Amino acid sequence: MDAFSYLSVLLSIILGLAITQVLQGVRGLLLSRRHVRPYPPVLLWAGTILLMAVQMWWASFGLADHAEWTFAEFGIVLVQTTLLYMLAALVLPDFALHEPADLREHYYRETRPFFAILVAILLVSGFKDLIIDGYLPSGINLLFHAAFAAIALACSISRRARLHEISAVAIAAMVVVYIALLFARLG
């Protein structure tokens, strides 16, 4: 077994837990649907986080060619996946059957930590490229990182509902475009 195959097991477990966290939240939402007050940005973010987890797993295959791993290199990748798990853990509340849940209230209660973690993921992603490849993201990759970070920072500061609603749609669309442009093919 090569080094990456060994190291990728832990990363895959954490990404699997992130996906499970969101899917369990969706399950809870479905089972408690009569008692849940929906809020579309939460649902969009749940889908976006699932897509981000799958993209992170897909992109990790690009690390398979990295021959010599240091603890710092593995650590930065581990931090990135762990932060994504934390984002997944915050997006949906824990549902209790037959108890009311307000997704809007949950969303705004968790806004600051949620978007702080999103910004941290973006910063770690840039540092990951620097630590592993020796350079920061450039071109379209840097442009997407900057746009995601700007939106996340605005959302972490403002509680204006319209901003959050538009941002959820914008980031979901941007993640799709980002994947289509930079990660459509494996390798």
Side-chain angles (χ1 to χ4, degrees):
M1 179 183 283
D2 64 64
F4 178 74
S5 296
Y6 179 76
L7 299 174
S8 68
V9 171
L10 181 57
L11 302 175
S12 296
I13 289 169
I14 295 169
L15 289 173
L17 288 171
I19 291 168
T20 300
Q21 187 73 36
V22 175
L23 293 178
Q24 283 182 331
V26 171
R27 176 189 179 271
L29 175 65
L30 291 172
L31 292 174
S32 301
R33 66 189 172 277
R34 291 184 189 172
H35 307 285
V36 174
R37 181 176 171 223
Y39 188 54
V42 172
L43 304 175
L44 270 170
W45 273 111
T48 301
I49 291 168
L50 284 174
L51 190 55
M52 289 168 65
V54 171
Q55 181 275 331
M56 195 177 287
W57 182 75
W58 180 264
S60 72
F61 286 107
L63 299 172
D65 294 334
H66 189 73
E68 299 280 328
W69 282 90
T70 66
F71 190 78
E73 291 168 339
F74 178 64
I76 196 82
V77 177
L78 188 61
V79 167
Q80 185 182 27
T81 56
T82 302
L83 288 169
L84 185 65
Y85 171 82
M86 296 310 298
L87 200 65
L90 288 176
V91 72
L92 289 165
D94 292 330
F95 293 97
L97 288 178
H98 310 297
E99 289 190 27
D102 185 333
L103 294 185
R104 182 185 176 101
E105 179 183 309
H106 171 78
Y107 178 84
Y108 287 103
R109 183 178 61 243
E110 303 303 337
T111 295
R112 286 210 170 96
F114 182 88
F115 287 104
I117 291 169
L118 182 57
V119 169
I121 289 171
L122 295 164
L123 291 172
V124 168
S125 177
F127 283 117
K128 179 187 76 175
D129 289 354
L130 181 62
I131 289 170
I132 293 175
D133 299 324
Y135 52 86
L136 290 169
S138 61
I140 197 158
N141 196 9
L142 181 61
L143 180 66
F144 272 104
H145 276 74
F148 289 139
I151 293 169
L153 284 170
C155 287
S156 72
I157 295 167
S158 174
R159 293 208 177 253
R160 292 175 34 208
R162 196 71 178 142
L163 171 69
H164 286 270
E165 292 160 3
I166 291 168
S167 295
V169 172
I171 289 208
M174 288 169 59
V175 167
V176 169
V177 171
Y178 179 74
I179 292 169
L181 291 176
L182 299 175
F183 296 98
R185 293 184 178 229
L186 189 61

